[in-house]
Amino acid sequence: MKKVPKAAFFIVAILIIGMAFLSIFGIENSYGDIVKFSLKGAMQMRTGIDIRGGVEATFQPATGEVPSREDVDAAKQILELRLDANNITDREVYPDYTNGRIVVRFPWKSDEVDFDPEAAIEELAASAILTFVGPDGETVLTGSTDVDSASVGYSEDDGYVVLLNLTQEGRNKFKAATEAYQGQTISIMMDEQVISSPTVNKVIDSDSATITGNFTVEEAQELADTINAGSLPFKLEATNYSTISPTLGEGSLDVMVNASVVAFILVCLFMLLYYCVPGLVACITLVGQIAGALLAVSIPQFTLTLPGIAGIVLSIGMGVDANIITAERIKEEIHAGRTISGSIDAGYKNAWSAILDGNVTMLIVAVILYTMGSGSVRSFGYTLAAGIVFNFIMGVWAAQLMQKGLARFKAMRNPWLYGGKRNEND
């Protein structure tokens, strides 16, 4: 066994306590009367409509004309892209094709104090900027002047594809670009967000171009709508807006937090009473897991919704399960006659495969939910994935260091502290 110093327990514990503090309060930088949070904690977290309420706004072309169904879908796509870019997962976007309008519901920012819906919707109403950018960072095409339209097509060789119709100016630019970037990628960007990166297979000297990529019909339509959004002939404006009350009622977050604290205390009491030293380590590492998951939500200002909280809770359940599996394995090794140090080594080694299988399976599900879902489903997938990643860090790596560090203390080498019954002098 590789020797771990006694101080390992205290170093890891202090780091976890520091993470827990940051996850709740963040780091505050003050400049005179201006307060800026360089690292946001749970106190500055953006919460969903169900917890804190938000804004409902109706968007339509500033010209007052009724756009086509295709233009409405394109405008809807760009609004969703901007919401995604701001990590606003708790949102609802409804197109009204008859009147050419789009209704959007989204939560307040975390630092919102005036609750002004007009200010909240300003960034969503601007015109979309679509660009085609080469690998050297040079802009090849712009949606407003070079791309006429995009649509979904199908070919026997490539399946569903996206068909680009270019203006004459766009044709000339694209020919030069495809000559210069043979075998390289040209990134399609919307508001500086990459939405696709097709590879140039040949020189294109035509009014049309084809984007392939093993698309499903839904993926091809989504990309076409996004490209069309960048060449919309109109700017969106909010014709009316209003505030939304929390769907769970005021104070619902406090109730959920209090319930979670009570549940955590009960779990810790069980772990301490039943597993002693492994239980103590489990309680500390669970704090680290929760802190890590909260930081993963609060730092990028990912919207925390009720399903998102459920994702964190489920990942904590996986963390408790991992600690119980390890503690039982350690107990079995002690009963088999191993020393305390040997039992800890063998316990973590034997528990690893079971922990890995369960957590990797859950992580795959979380990634699928995040990448393919939207709104609250995406929020659930994100928090679940973050919690599982920190379960590996805290429940396996940090917990093992802490237990090995504690085992170096003579008072912590009694077998009964690990579920054993015989006396031990390790």
Side-chain angles (χ1 to χ4, degrees):
M1 179 189 83
K2 184 178 179 180
K3 293 293 184 180
V4 174
K6 296 179 180 180
F9 172 82
F10 300 102
I11 292 173
V12 175
I14 290 171
L15 289 174
I16 289 175
I17 292 172
M19 278 185 61
F21 180 87
L22 290 178
S23 70
I24 297 173
F25 302 104
I27 297 176
E28 178 180 319
N29 291 330
S30 299
Y31 301 93
D33 294 332
I34 300 175
V35 177
K36 180 179 180 181
F37 288 94
S38 57
L39 178 61
K40 294 189 175 184
M43 303 298 289
Q44 298 86 40
M45 190 178 296
R46 185 169 197 161
T47 52
I49 297 173
D50 50 0
I51 297 173
R52 193 163 174 251
V55 179
E56 178 177 291
T58 301
F59 291 94
Q60 67 181 39
T63 58
E65 298 178 1
V66 178
S68 65
R69 184 184 184 93
E70 291 74 20
D71 283 344
V72 171
D73 283 334
K76 173 179 177 288
Q77 183 69 21
I78 193 58
L79 287 172
E80 290 182 331
L81 273 173
R82 288 183 173 173
L83 290 165
D84 283 340
N86 288 303
N87 291 322
I88 303 175
T89 55
D90 185 27
R91 81 295 179 95
E92 299 169 8
V93 184
Y94 305 107
D96 178 0
Y97 298 110
T98 303
N99 299 300
R101 301 180 302 184
I102 304 171
V103 179
V104 183
R105 295 160 58 95
F106 61 97
W108 297 109
K109 291 183 178 180
S110 61
D111 56 356
E112 180 63 50
V113 292
D114 297 328
F115 297 100
D116 180 4
E118 186 174 5
I121 63 178
E122 282 182 355
E123 60 183 352
L124 297 181
S127 297
I129 300 175
L130 176 77
T131 55
F132 287 60
V133 181
D136 55 2
E138 291 292 324
T139 298
V140 176
L141 303 174
T142 57
S144 58
T145 59
D146 303 322
V147 180
D148 183 50
S149 64
S151 59
V152 177
Y154 184 84
S155 72
E156 293 294 335
D157 296 330
D158 301 311
Y160 290 102
V161 298
V162 176
L163 304 175
L164 289 179
N165 293 319
L166 305 174
T167 64
Q168 184 58 47
E169 184 180 357
R171 172 180 176 171
N172 297 333
K173 291 180 179 178
F174 207 50
K175 177 186 176 183
T178 53
E179 287 177 342
Y181 303 131
Q182 278 275 11
Q184 302 180 68
T185 60
I186 293 180
S187 298
I188 305 174
M189 305 183 68
M190 182 70 74
D191 291 339
E192 300 184 355
Q193 180 181 0
V194 177
I195 58 176
S196 183
S197 296
T199 301
V200 179
N201 295 320
K202 61 181 180 180
V203 177
I204 299 175
D205 184 13
S206 172
D207 293 336
S208 62
T210 301
I211 301 175
T212 62
N214 295 321
F215 299 120
T216 64
V217 63
E218 292 82 7
E219 291 169 341
Q221 187 62 60
E222 181 179 350
L223 179 56
D225 287 342
T226 304
I227 293 173
N228 286 329
S231 55
L232 286 176
F234 55 80
K235 176 182 178 180
L236 293 172
E237 68 174 3
T239 55
N240 59 72
Y241 39 81
S242 60
T243 60
I244 307 171
S245 298
T247 56
L248 294 180
E250 294 290 346
S252 56
L253 181 60
D254 293 337
V255 173
M256 286 185 284
V257 170
N258 292 336
S260 300
V261 170
V262 171
F264 180 77
I265 291 173
L266 292 176
V267 168
C268 285
L269 286 175
F270 168 77
M271 295 296 291
L272 285 169
L273 294 174
Y274 196 80
Y275 293 107
C276 297
V277 171
L280 172 65
V281 171
C283 293
I284 297 173
T285 54
L286 284 174
V287 171
Q289 182 182 342
I290 296 171
L294 289 177
L295 286 173
V297 175
S298 61
I299 291 176
Q301 284 295 280
F302 201 91
T303 307
L304 182 66
T305 63
L306 184 59
I309 295 175
I312 294 177
V313 172
L314 180 56
S315 69
I316 293 170
M318 297 293 292
V320 173
D321 183 61
N323 281 286
I324 289 176
I325 291 173
T326 304
E328 288 292 338
R329 291 290 190 180
I330 293 173
K331 185 191 297 185
E332 290 174 2
E333 296 300 328
I334 291 176
H335 288 165
R338 285 181 178 269
T339 63
I340 297 298
S341 299
S343 297
I344 293 174
D345 273 342
Y348 276 96
K349 181 179 179 180
N350 294 333
W352 171 243
S353 60
I355 295 172
L356 181 66
D357 288 345
N359 281 270
V360 167
T361 302
M362 193 67 72
L363 184 60
I364 292 172
V365 173
V367 171
I368 292 173
L369 290 175
Y370 177 76
T371 55
M372 301 186 65
S374 62
S376 57
V377 173
R378 198 173 187 218
S379 176
F380 175 79
Y382 179 83
T383 55
L384 178 60
I388 291 173
V389 169
F390 277 98
N391 180 26
F392 279 117
I393 296 172
M394 296 295 171
V396 179
W397 178 74
Q400 190 170 5
L401 278 179
M402 294 178 77
Q403 288 220 52
K404 287 182 176 180
L406 280 176
R408 301 278 290 165
F409 291 92
K410 185 175 181 181
M412 294 293 175
R413 303 181 70 82
N414 291 314
W416 67 269
L417 291 175
Y418 300 85
K421 294 182 179 179
R422 69 183 184 86
N423 293 324
E424 176 74 43
N425 290 311
D426 189 6

